[in-house]
Amino acid sequence: MSKRLTIAQAQQQRPNLPQELINEPIIITQDGVPVMAAMSYTHLTELLETLDILTDTEFVAKLRQSITQDVVDGGFNRPVLSGFPYSALTAKPETTGAIAFNFKTGCSPSTC
């Protein structure tokens, strides 16, 4: 779970925030309600890259087909999934947008 700070706490910790954001975003709250999130620039660019890929419907369809074929062929590599449930990977796009792709290694389940 992401760390939570009030706006006042975030202002007080501003000099340390870049270091704290390395591992995960921080949720900033006002009156106990999340009002914004702070994340590292690296995480932001990774998120935007992921969104860009996931909006490429042709790529996503090919990736889903490749994952399904790997399962059929017995070559499905679960460690690459980093905690993604198999059902999320094979579900139809209408039910979930989750797919697995390791941006650090450049691997998808069909290529690793």
Side-chain angles (χ1 to χ4, degrees), residues 52-68:
D52 188 44
I53 289 170
L54 291 176
T55 58
D56 182 341
T57 55
E58 184 178 337
F59 174 80
V60 171
K62 287 179 182 178
L63 181 58
R64 288 182 194 284
Q65 181 181 10
S66 178
I67 291 168
T68 302

Side-chain angles (χ1 to χ4, degrees), residues 29-78:
T29 65
Q30 183 174 28
D31 300 324
V33 178
V35 292
M36 66 180 82
M39 68 176 58
S40 71
Y41 182 76
T42 299
H43 284 132
L44 173 63
T45 56
E46 290 171 352
L47 178 62
L48 292 174
E49 181 179 344
T50 301
L51 290 173
D52 188 44
I53 289 170
L54 291 176
T55 58
D56 182 341
T57 55
E58 184 178 337
F59 174 80
V60 171
K62 287 179 182 178
L63 181 58
R64 288 182 194 284
Q65 181 181 10
S66 178
I67 291 168
T68 302
Q69 189 60 50
D70 274 356
V71 171
V72 170
D73 293 343
F76 192 65
N77 187 351
R78 287 191 183 268

